Amino acid sequence: MADLFEDRDETRRRAARRAPLAERMRPRSLDEFRGQRKLLAPGRVLNAMIESRTLVASLVFWGPPGTGKTTLARLLAQHFDAEFRAFSAVTAGVRDVKAAVEHARLLLHGSGKRMFLFVDEVHRFNRAQQDAFLPHLEDGTLTLVGATTENPSFSLNAALLSRTRVLELEPLSASDIEAILRVAVSDSERGLGKHGLDIEPGVLERLATLADGDARTALNVLEMLAAPGPGGAPPARIDAKRLSEALQRRNLGLDRGREEHYNLISALQKSLRGGDPDAALYWLARLLEAGEDPRYVARRLIRTASEDIGNADARALSVCIDAARAVALIGMPEAELSLAQATVYLATAPKSNRVAVAYEAARRAVRERGNPPVPLHLRNAPTPWMRSQGRGQGYLYPHDYEDTVVAQDYLPEGMQEERFYEPLDVGEEHIAGEALRRWRRLREELRQAGQAGRPRRARGEEKPAPESGEDPPEG
């Protein structure tokens, strides 16, 4: 019997030795854990739970890949002397949840020991699967520790969120990842220490930086660099050239989920709005180097041209549309300079959000006031019968009057005094502002004088007669 257990132990040891380097180098205690100081520093939320040995709620770890979500869950189970059981929401279903709950119930009633159920990619569970946890979290049958790369406020339902504590994990710093790499290089038991690797100075630092906060990625690349060559011999030297070749075979830090996608877009637009071309170019490069669809970037630039610049520089919209055309015509990477050109133009252009503010005010008026009828004098009247019903009657053709100004209303009844667009005296918008103020002033003078307008020429000559075969002009 002893031989049987020895064989099993040896089998487990051989399996552990064959595991990937990132798995072998998982911290064995909280003291070995690197990063997440905002959670684990003295006085912080997770540290307080650990020190008091009181876990006040189930947990959801939210953060990018390779930041220690799984490892931290394992270490917490170890610290709280709980059984650790894990599965992935990608492959598991309600049946797996029920089996885990039943095991947790038997464990709790039989030995009084708690179970930590770790669910990786918990955001992949649908609403029914998430709801299956609820009664068992409430009665304390098990402690759920979920891990997700997606924003929990979007991906988890409110009932589950109310019964868990969401803790956000941040990307590891380059110094933390470098420390992890150096331990892996020197550790002869679990790491690569027995290989006696010759690593050029600066290589580990660069790898730590390019890992983009992901320790697992860094360890995987290190293992690739240290892979034996023909004949099973370790590489003669790991230098910058070998690192560059390895990185060509693996994209670092580009699959950070939808949350990071929107963060990068937000950073780009805010840099444009703030007038910083250097920051805007940096975020543009981050997006494009990460493989973002250039058509989407072009659409966001077009939106920015109208939202944050507007008529302060009306050419900005044309510049962005031209950049979008360049993307469609010549593709990438050639069109990246067209996007960069548009980005610099937007960042350095004068800024005005008055078009966006005006449209939002107009949209709010539509939603709040319903659909009042179009005034009769503004309605289309292409047939004699429609004109006989009063449609189009009383309409004053502005080109018949000096300065094309007439005292007539263009908004529905009861809304004549609404003002949506108020230009700024910025860039070219000051021209629109001066024209609008002059138009409003002249129209008000005509109203007070009881005049429709100052005729420019004899009435009846204001509109050219339609040519043969054409429909008469509307209105």
Side-chain angles (χ1 to χ4, degrees), residues 3-4 76 104 221 282 300 303 370 420:
D3 290 341
L4 176 60
L76 286 176
V221 174
Y282 171 78
R300 297 308 304 175
R303 168 75 184 199
F420 301 125

Side-chain angles (χ1 to χ4, degrees), residues 14 30 70 83 96 102 104 112 117 158 189 225 251 267 284 292 319 329 347 368 373 427 430 435-436 448 453:
R14 283 199 300 268
L30 287 167
T70 303
E83 180 176 316
D96 300 280
E102 184 60 27
L117 178 61
E189 178 188 353
L225 292 170
N251 262 338
L284 173 69
E292 182 60 75
V319 168
L329 287 172
E368 293 176 355
H430 81 277
L436 180 57
Q448 292 180 3

Side-chain angles (χ1 to χ4, degrees), residues 376 379-393 472:
L376 278 174
R379 297 190 195 185
N380 187 33
T383 68
W385 180 86
M386 296 177 76
R387 288 192 290 273
S388 71
Q389 299 302 306
R391 289 172 171 79
Q393 290 185 12

Side-chain angles (χ1 to χ4, degrees), residues 33 105 167 186 190 228 235 266 272 312 323 364 380 397 426 464 474:
F33 189 84
R105 182 178 290 110
L167 300 179
S186 61
R190 298 181 297 153
S266 176
L272 293 171
R364 187 166 55 250
N380 187 33
Y397 190 57
V426 173
E474 295 183 356

Side-chain angles (χ1 to χ4, degrees), residues 291-308:
E292 182 60 75
D293 185 348
R295 296 172 299 178
Y296 174 78
V297 175
R299 292 198 300 271
R300 297 308 304 175
L301 295 180
I302 292 172
R303 168 75 184 199
T304 299
S306 295
E307 181 177 347
D308 294 307

